[in-house]
Amino acid sequence: QYLDTNSNNFGLFDSKENQIVVKLFSRNLEDLTEMFPEIVESAKTLPYENIILDGEIIGWQERKEQFLSYQDTMTRRRKYSVKTLQESVPVRAFVFDVLFLNNESLLRKPLEQRMEILAKVDLRKSKDIMLSPMKVVDTLGDLQSQFNMYVKKGLEGVVIKGLDTVYSPGVRNYDWIKIKKSISESLVDTLDLVVLGYYKGSGKRSGFGIGAILAGIYNEKEDRFESFTKVGTGITDDMFKKIFERLQPIITKEKPKNVEVEDILKPDVWVYPEVVMTVKADEISKNRNDSKIAKGYSLRFPRLIEWDRDKSVYDIFRVEDL
């Protein structure tokens, strides 16, 4: 996102004369500006008084015209060795929405109008910012064709958005839906879960201080997090070390008040529900009919896909989604 702003006591769109200021933020408003200098320099070429763009920064090999893995891209989320990482993991910002332009908010304009405005945004000089491919489809066949094309390219799938929808920051609804290639498997989608604690493990894993993770889902009605599954697969030795280090600052001696856990899943160490992880599993199964926690459901063969997501714990998979 490109913002005409300044961190030294200036408002969101205040600026000093002859000075262009760029800010990059994650969805949770973490300041990422220092981590992606090439995106900052590209944003400075945009010929507008002020503009906010929504998109995603992804590792990109220009020579091969292909995306780098999520794990490679995440290595850029550091404030040190930026120059070295910039060379080894080049990135591009793929823009899919425009929220503000030349002192005008576009949030309440329907997506179809925002797409028309975005198509006219001048990106000719911005080497590392480009439009994300977008296509209006009229039939299920058109959608299936687009989906198949992107899956063959090694991508996850597509995001479908209603043309008449407005932009609602921080709101969870069905104005847009992800369709992933995992629909061909028993479990329709990957699941974003919150870490509730961990188990110390045995054997080799005991040396890492952690052997498995307790993951939970959100019960919106009760405003609490409920135990759902134990995850110990899909984690490398190096990842176990990173997970252990990440969880140390949020350890608590007692179970948090907004957490409910099955007795059989009680972890060795409790943590505050702050870290979001993505898992994939063979299926969601019901094996505890008398339980009110997660309605008695759990996951079969869960494995870690992404760790420490930049996502609110209130936007994860919910009991209501079961």
Side-chain angles (χ1 to χ4, degrees):
Q1 296 169 347
Y2 165 79
L3 306 182
D4 186 10
T5 185
N6 188 281
S7 59
N8 298 323
N9 301 319
F10 277 72
L12 186 61
F13 290 117
D14 295 333
S15 63
K16 294 181 179 179
E17 187 175 357
N18 299 323
Q19 181 178 359
I20 299 175
V21 182
V22 176
K23 285 290 183 180
L24 304 176
F25 294 101
S26 71
R27 75 183 73 186
N28 288 332
L29 297 183
E30 178 187 356
D31 191 335
L32 307 179
T33 310
E34 295 180 21
M35 304 174 192
F36 301 102
E38 62 268 61
I39 306 300
V40 171
E41 291 306 309
S42 286
K44 288 181 179 179
T45 68
L46 298 176
Y48 303 101
E49 183 175 353
N50 42 56
I51 186 170
I52 301 179
L53 297 172
D54 192 7
E56 186 157 2
I57 295 176
I58 306 175
W60 173 258
Q61 285 187 328
E62 186 171 7
R63 183 171 56 85
K64 296 182 179 180
E65 291 193 343
Q66 68 181 29
F67 295 107
L68 299 177
S69 70
Y70 174 83
Q71 287 77 14
D72 286 336
T73 302
M74 287 300 292
T75 63
R76 289 294 305 270
R77 297 277 297 262
R78 301 175 184 173
K79 293 185 178 181
Y80 54 87
S81 302
V82 173
K83 186 65 177 178
T84 301
L85 289 169
Q86 186 177 345
E87 295 174 356
S88 60
V89 185
V91 297
R92 277 189 175 178
F94 290 83
V95 176
F96 47 71
D97 214 333
V98 55
L99 314 183
F100 198 95
L101 179 62
N102 290 338
N103 299 311
E104 180 187 1
S105 172
L106 307 177
L107 294 180
R108 308 313 296 171
K109 290 185 180 295
L111 175 63
E112 190 168 19
Q113 288 187 30
R114 300 200 309 276
M115 287 177 63
E116 292 173 357
I117 296 171
L118 181 60
K120 297 177 183 177
V121 170
D122 188 353
L123 298 175
R124 289 174 296 177
K125 295 182 179 180
S126 54
K127 175 179 175 292
D128 296 305
I129 302 176
M130 61 187 301
L131 290 181
S132 177
M134 289 176 280
K135 181 178 177 62
V136 177
V137 296
D138 299 310
T139 68
L140 181 59
D142 289 341
L143 173 58
Q144 186 71 56
S145 176
Q146 289 291 306
F147 174 80
N148 292 340
M149 178 181 70
Y150 288 117
V151 168
K152 287 180 180 178
K153 290 183 177 181
L155 304 179
E156 282 189 284
V158 296
V159 177
I160 306 172
K161 301 184 179 183
L163 287 175
D164 59 346
T165 58
V166 298
Y167 195 101
S168 302
V171 175
R172 179 189 173 95
N173 55 38
Y174 291 96
D175 286 349
W176 62 269
I177 303 171
K178 288 182 181 179
I179 303 293
K180 297 185 179 181
K181 57 188 176 184
S182 54
I183 62 172
S184 61
E185 302 174 8
S186 298
L187 185 59
V188 170
D189 204 350
T190 54
L191 305 178
D192 291 327
L193 308 177
V194 65
V195 179
L196 303 179
Y198 64 86
Y199 308 90
K200 294 182 178 179
S202 58
K204 178 182 178 181
R205 291 188 177 183
S206 63
F208 303 134
I210 182 171
I213 306 165
L214 174 62
I217 60 179
Y218 181 54
N219 186 327
E220 185 176 19
K221 184 177 180 181
E222 302 293 336
D223 189 24
R224 70 186 187 190
F225 299 95
E226 302 180 1
S227 60
F228 189 48
T229 192
K230 186 177 178 180
V231 183
T233 306
I235 308 174
T236 64
D237 291 354
D238 286 341
M239 183 58 69
F240 267 121
K241 296 175 184 177
K242 291 179 181 179
I243 292 172
F244 181 78
E245 292 174 359
R246 173 65 179 88
L247 297 180
Q248 295 313 293
I250 59 173
I251 287 177
T252 173
K253 293 182 178 180
E254 303 292 335
K255 177 177 69 69
K257 293 181 179 180
N258 61 340
V259 169
E260 289 296 330
V261 173
E262 291 273 8
D263 289 340
I264 59 172
L265 289 176
K266 184 179 178 180
D268 295 321
V269 180
W270 296 100
V271 300
Y272 289 107
E274 297 179 9
V275 178
V276 175
M277 57 189 270
T278 298
V279 303
K280 192 173 185 179
D282 287 0
E283 65 179 4
I284 297 176
S285 60
K286 189 163 188 175
N287 53 9
R288 303 187 303 277
N289 291 321
D290 59 342
S291 176
K292 293 182 179 180
I293 298 177
K295 294 185 176 181
Y297 285 92
S298 64
L299 294 179
R300 281 194 70 207
F301 305 116
R303 52 262 188 202
L304 179 66
I305 301 298
E306 296 177 18
W307 169 252
D308 200 6
R309 296 291 308 276
D310 176 31
K311 193 169 190 175
S312 166
V313 293
Y314 298 104
D315 288 334
I316 64 172
F317 192 72
R318 305 182 177 208
V319 169
E320 291 79 6
D321 296 330
L322 282 168

